[in-house]
Every structure is written in structure tokens, then in C-alpha cells.
Amino acid sequence: MSRIAYVNGSYVPHNQASVHIEDRGYQFADGVYEVWAVRDGKLLDSAGHFRRLARSLGELRIAAPMNDAALSIVLREVVRQNRVRDGLVYLQVTRGVAPRDHAFPKDIVSSIVITSKPVNAAAAERAAQKGVAVITLADQRWARCDIKSVSLLPNILAKQSAVEANAYEAWMVDGKGRVTEGSSSNAWIVTKDGVLTTRSLSNDILGGITRERVLALAAARQIKVEERSFSVEEAKQAKEAFITSSMNLVTPITKIDTTSIAGGTPGEMACALRKDYLQSAAT
Ligand SMILES: Cc1ncc(COP(=O)(O)O)c(C=O)c1O
């Protein structure tokens, strides 16, 4: 079966899908994206991703290419045409195509691309059962990490460093030695006295949709939560650590740099929250 992509109004074979060379996403990274996890053919946490997409577009003053109802139909159609049961759907919206000029062109029309593909849910589940390693490195990003921009160079460099260190994710660290977030995930610890802790929302991190849901799940379990920064040192002494993202859901960490966490096995709270998440997120 051949893959299908949606590009500016048409469903086209994935291997023939293309955008113009003067698309501003290509030339300036002038665009935003969203990723929905697909489980059992359904989009997880759909509404949250729509809300964040609208916010990212608004912050960059890029026009929404269509309304949410229409977009929802197209997203589901791309998933359906690609017969994805467990996987993801990726959406990218850029400011559009125009002769190269830094300033916003007048009357430009946004470009939209949507793709969908399966992911190996069993492999992700195995990683979660076993726990993963993270490394820490300097956060080299710009001052608006709250916008889900396609400009991801520092994130990909961080992830590559993790891969080269045989780790799963890289935690980025601000100038004060405090963890901001992962290259494509939010960072969490459970402190020695059992407080679930994650950095508070600001321009320093992306407001994860999974993060938001996990906070609600923690509240339902009456877990004590603190939204505050934590240092790499505190994380290394924590009872548990984990990451959250649409792709990883809740994935326990068993090693930070060379320090073993939670005795090298997935923490109890992380496992419980992962289970809760899987039960609650399907829309
Ligand atoms: C930098 C960054 N932080 C956090 C997240 C987690 O966000 P979400 O839970 O919405 O997938 C992502 C996801 O891609 C990300 O790229």
C-alpha cells in the first residue's frame, strides 16, 4: 500500500509530495507543527493539540489554513488513507510561498502538509517497561520555546548527542543548571519525599499536551505536585524520573548521565501514570 500525504488541498502519493522551493518553512523555518499520537486509529488528546496549534500560529501571526472542524476531517482522512492504527499524524503549517525576504510578505497564503505513519507501539512499550537513559547538556535554544516552531536545530543536535551516547533522550539545562525539558519531551522527577515535580510553563519550555494530561491524572490520584524548576543534581538524587510526550506518553527514566535512577528500574508513579494515560487519552 502506498503512503498518502495531504499537501495544500490535495491527497497525493507520499513519494510525489512536494512544496515550492520558496516556501518560507524551507527557507526560514517560518512555520509551526503538531504531532498527534494515533492509537487504535484514534487521535489522542485531539483538542489539546488543536488549542496549541492555534496558539503557535497566533504567536507567529500565521493564518490558520482552515478551521478546526475541516482540519479534523483532513487529519482523520490522512490517518484512514494510510491505514494507521498505532502511529502518528504530523501537521506542518508555514507562512507560505513568496520571493525570499525576511519581512512578512503581503497577502501570503499559508502552506499545509499532513502525513501519517505507523510507529512500533510494541517497541515503545518495551522501552517504557525497561526504562530509558537520558543525558544532560546545555540548552542552546531561542527565547520562545513555548511556540511549537519547525525551527528545531538545537533539539536535533541534542537528540543526536543522546543517540551517540547510547541514550534515549537529552535533557537540556539552562544557565542556572536547571533542567528545561527534553529535546522532544517534558521532564519530570519524583523528589525524595514523593513530590511529583515538573518545570512550570513559561517561554522556556513547550507546554506539552501530555504534560497537561499527566498533571490532571496526578491530581485525580491526589499526588502532591509542584510546578517548579529542578537542578540536574536534584534529578540525580530523585526517587524517580520520567519524560512525557505524545510519542512516548509517560516513559520512565532509569539513568541520568552516569547516575542510576530508581535503582535502575522504572518508578512506581511513572508506571501508574502511564497506565492512567493510556486509559484516559483516547478521544
Ligand atoms: C521540545 C518539546 N517539549 C515537549 C514536548 C512534549 O509535548 P507533547 O506532550 O504535546 O507531545 C515535545 C513534543 O514534541 C517537544 O518537542
Side-chain angles (χ1 to χ4, degrees), residues 64-122:
M66 59 182 91
N67 66 34
D68 285 359
L71 185 56
S72 177
I73 290 169
V74 179
L75 287 167
R76 286 173 170 83
E77 183 59 14
V78 174
V79 171
R80 193 191 67 77
Q81 289 202 21
N82 287 283
R83 298 195 188 140
V84 173
R85 299 298 305 165
D86 291 317
L88 62 87
V89 57
Y90 174 86
L91 159 90
Q92 177 167 322
V93 177
T94 72
R95 197 176 305 279
V97 176
R100 189 176 183 281
D101 182 6
H102 285 59
F104 300 172
K106 271 211 165 67
D107 303 324
I108 191 163
V109 177
S110 321
S111 300
I112 174 167
V113 170
I114 302 173
T115 56
S116 183
K117 66 175 184 184
V119 296
N120 189 341

Side-chain angles (χ1 to χ4, degrees), residues 33 52 148 155 181-186 206 208-210 245-246:
Y33 74 106
R52 185 171 62 192
K148 201 162 170 66
N155 306 59
E181 60 183 334
S183 71
S184 59
S185 58
N186 288 114
L206 183 72
I209 305 305
T210 322
S245 74
S246 305

Side-chain angles (χ1 to χ4, degrees), residues 172-265:
M172 298 178 282
V173 180
D174 68 16
K176 293 182 176 152
R178 298 171 313 193
V179 175
T180 52
E181 60 183 334
S183 71
S184 59
S185 58
N186 288 114
W188 302 70
I189 57 169
V190 180
T191 62
K192 278 199 228 154
D193 36 2
V195 181
L196 180 60
T197 306
T198 193
R199 194 171 174 118
S200 54
L201 293 181
S202 71
N203 291 354
D204 297 337
I205 64 166
L206 183 72
I209 305 305
T210 322
R211 174 189 180 282
E212 192 177 301
R213 183 168 289 271
V214 167
L215 285 173
L217 294 170
R221 277 186 176 262
Q222 297 182 330
I223 291 169
K224 184 155 191 256
V225 176
E226 273 180 17
E227 290 181 67
R228 63 162 175 87
S229 304
F230 55 84
S231 67
V232 174
E233 268 335 292
E234 185 179 6
K236 286 182 178 171
Q237 287 165 26
K239 205 175 188 178
E240 297 185 28
F242 61 88
I243 54 171
T244 58
S245 74
S246 305
M247 287 297 97
N248 293 291
L249 312 180
V250 177
T251 295
I253 289 170
T254 46
K255 196 161 106 177
I256 301 175
D257 295 327
T258 54
T259 306
S260 178
I261 305 296
T265 55

